[in-house]
Amino acid sequence: MKIRIPIPAPVAKAGPLRVAVVPRLVPAFSYGLAVAGAGISAFLVRQAFLAMTNAETAGIGAVTRGLAEANVPLLIALYLAIVSGAAGLLVLIIRMFVNTTKASPPVWFVMVTGILGLIPAGLFWWAESLVIGVFYPDSGGIVAVANMVALLLPSIMIAAPFILLLLLAISVWPVRSLSKPKWGPIVVLLMFEVALVVMAVAFQLRTSWLFQVSQAEQLLP
């Protein structure tokens, strides 16, 4: 009688985990809103800047009102981005305490999408600051900033759709992670959420100031 000794089946080695798509789409959507808002506002500011360039009699009231109205799309986008970003942060926190078969987004993903999302808004702030500076004494007038503004605003408008496509692509592209990220992505996402809040407050204050200047038709402190 032969005795058969059972041979244990080989244990499969755990490979890299697939990164879930939804936790990537939510923060990417948040930053995409900021990008789209910056692109629309850049177009509107460009129209106001062209009006300043073509009509030498354009008053400070009319121009500052045009700038303030141009800020509205970006402001709305930033507020929506903050809400969406908070939802993405909540999703990552919940996934920390739930057993899942897929990993949360790695730190590099949050960093890349956050930087891509905030760059257009930052460039827009710079371009608008140059336009506002024209009204101050010893600024050199429109001629001093025309080339830079003419470069920044179209660049934002052209870059916005490409960044949106890139955010979508890296959100749905198959990505694997060697392990489930812990608190790193949450901390980084929280940092960018704070950056969105700071940016929204800054644009809100500037927009309110621009509306006040347009009504007074003179620069205010």
Side-chain angles (χ1 to χ4, degrees):
M1 180 177 180
K2 297 182 179 180
I3 300 176
R4 296 182 178 180
I5 301 176
I7 301 176
V11 179
K13 295 183 179 179
L17 298 172
R18 292 187 63 183
V19 178
V21 173
V22 173
R24 285 185 284 161
L25 277 175
V26 176
F29 176 74
S30 172
Y31 303 132
L33 287 171
V35 172
I40 297 172
S41 291
F43 171 78
L44 296 176
V45 169
R46 183 172 180 271
Q47 298 302 105
F49 184 71
L50 289 177
M52 289 177 59
T53 306
N54 298 329
E56 297 180 357
T57 58
I60 185 174
V63 175
T64 52
R65 183 172 184 82
L67 293 177
E69 293 174 348
N71 282 352
V72 173
L74 179 54
L75 267 176
I76 295 175
L78 287 174
Y79 289 138
L80 293 176
I82 291 171
V83 175
S84 179
L89 189 62
L90 181 61
V91 169
L92 291 185
I93 293 175
I94 292 175
R95 288 177 61 86
M96 284 285 297
F97 305 98
V98 176
N99 291 328
T100 58
T101 58
K102 296 181 180 180
S104 295
V107 173
W108 69 263
F109 173 83
V110 183
M111 287 288 295
V112 170
T113 54
I115 292 173
L116 288 175
L118 296 184
I119 283 179
L123 293 177
F124 175 79
W125 177 274
W126 180 15
E128 190 177 58
S129 298
L130 293 175
V131 177
I132 294 173
V134 170
F135 296 111
Y136 285 90
D138 303 327
S139 63
I142 297 178
V143 177
V145 301
N147 291 336
M148 182 58 70
V149 174
L151 174 65
L152 288 174
L153 294 177
S155 297
I156 297 170
M157 295 161 52
I158 295 173
F162 287 100
I163 293 178
L164 290 175
L165 290 176
L166 183 58
L167 288 175
L168 177 62
I170 61 178
S171 297
V172 300
W173 192 267
V175 178
R176 293 184 177 274
S177 178
L178 295 178
S179 62
K180 291 185 178 182
K182 299 300 182 181
W183 291 101
I186 296 177
V187 173
V188 176
L189 186 58
L190 180 60
M191 290 171 55
F192 282 106
E193 185 74 1
V194 172
L196 285 173
V197 172
V198 171
M199 191 169 288
V201 171
F203 274 106
Q204 181 66 67
L205 293 175
R206 169 172 282 185
T207 304
S208 299
W209 178 81
L210 287 170
F211 272 121
Q212 293 174 8
V213 171
S214 67
Q215 294 176 354
E217 295 191 351
Q218 62 179 358
L219 290 178
L220 300 174

